[in-house]
Amino acid sequence: MNALTDHPPVALITGAARRVGATIARRLHAEGYQVIVHYGRSSTEAEALVDTLNQQRDDSAQALQADVRDTTALQQLASAAQARWGRLDLLVNNASTFYPTPLGELTESGFDDLIGTNLKAPLFLTQAAAPTLRASGGCVINIVDIHAQRPKRGFTAYCAAKAGLDMITRGLAVELAPAIRVNGIAPGAILPPPDFDGPPEDWEQAAAAPVPLGRTGQAEEIAGLVLWLAGPAAAYVTGQIIAVDGGKSQA
């Protein structure tokens, strides 16, 4: 999995208190990782997840808070993550904000927020964590989006941020080679948006309609790909953005 084998590997997952991030944390933990659950505001969910993981395996998880839009906080997060178990093997840049900003309603603060969480934070956190990842022969996995390449009406600022993350992934794969591999995952329709307040089946039916495989995805499918990309089977894979979208980006 990495250059050092005398200690369980350590993963830092941003935005891991809820939704896909929490599923990634649980899957990595189940496969033997020590996990650092980063959160921004979801302290109750983060602490509950960490308590559950530590009950399953003592001293195997920790929650760390940081505002990912603050570069100083990102440096502190990277330092705290490294200090916890003395190493870092995997960084999963998952934290994100997602909401519409139709032209005419876009504000500078909204633009800064979307760029800050989806583009700036992964770049600066990777920079902060790179020395520790290099020492362990670790890797970085960025959660991108199929809308980095396929515009979503009314979400131009978000799509632009994810398009930037796509290029950051490719660029850092070259810049950090050969010590650190950098890849990305571009999910399609996996979960309803956080602000969706209708019946889940209504969202699933609408979201699945344009998907060639005829269904929405599962958070576990993203977590499984994270695990594969971080493992030895993907040792010769870097600079790739892999869509998990049931073929929607090809339709």
Side-chain angles (χ1 to χ4, degrees):
M1 186 174 296
N2 47 63
L4 304 176
T5 58
D6 58 349
H7 190 284
V10 177
L12 166 59
I13 309 103
T14 65
R18 303 184 299 121
R19 295 171 60 84
V20 172
T23 301
I24 293 171
R26 285 191 290 266
R27 179 64 183 274
L28 291 172
H29 183 268
E31 296 294 332
Y33 277 81
Q34 314 280 64
V35 298
I36 296 169
V37 174
H38 159 267
Y39 67 95
R41 295 182 296 272
S42 303
S43 59
T44 300
E45 294 94 333
E47 294 293 349
L49 175 58
V50 165
D51 286 347
T52 297
L53 298 179
N54 281 326
Q55 288 171 18
Q56 295 171 3
R57 193 170 72 247
D58 188 47
D59 192 33
S60 61
Q62 180 179 4
L64 290 176
Q65 191 278 336
D67 182 348
V68 297
R69 298 166 299 183
D70 180 346
T71 54
T72 300
L74 292 175
Q75 182 65 58
Q76 294 169 345
L77 175 61
S79 296
Q82 188 278 334
R84 181 62 182 85
W85 286 290
R87 62 185 290 156
L88 185 64
D89 302 88
L90 171 61
L91 169 61
V92 182
N93 285 306
N94 169 73
S96 172
T97 51
F98 171 81
Y99 48 83
T101 54
L103 201 62
E105 299 178 22
L106 174 63
T107 64
E108 186 173 3
S109 63
F111 178 83
D112 289 344
D113 177 53
L114 289 163
I115 294 295
T117 59
N118 292 291
L119 176 61
K120 182 180 175 182
L123 177 59
F124 279 89
L125 183 55
T126 300
Q127 176 175 264
T132 307
L133 289 166
R134 187 175 290 112
S136 65
C139 64
V140 178
I141 299 172
N142 294 323
I143 306 302
V144 189
D145 193 304
I146 61 168
H147 292 294
Q149 301 295 328
R150 294 169 59 91
K152 181 176 176 64
R153 182 179 294 274
F155 288 77
T156 297
Y158 169 82
C159 294
K162 287 298 191 181
L165 182 57
D166 181 308
M167 182 50 66
I168 283 172
T169 303
R170 300 174 193 276
L172 289 181
V174 174
E175 189 166 352
L176 295 177
I180 302 170
R181 295 184 300 110
V182 184
N183 290 291
I185 297 173
I190 304 296
L191 293 171
D195 60 352
F196 183 81
D197 59 2
E201 56 270 20
D202 288 356
W203 175 83
E204 290 174 5
Q205 182 177 8
V211 177
L213 289 187
R215 66 172 177 87
T216 57
Q218 302 294 319
E220 290 79 7
E221 291 170 315
I222 303 299
L225 183 54
V226 168
L227 184 66
W228 183 81
L229 284 171
Y236 201 51
V237 178
T238 195
Q240 302 304 304
I241 311 293
I242 302 176
V244 182
D245 67 349
K248 181 179 178 180
S249 57
Q250 306 306 314

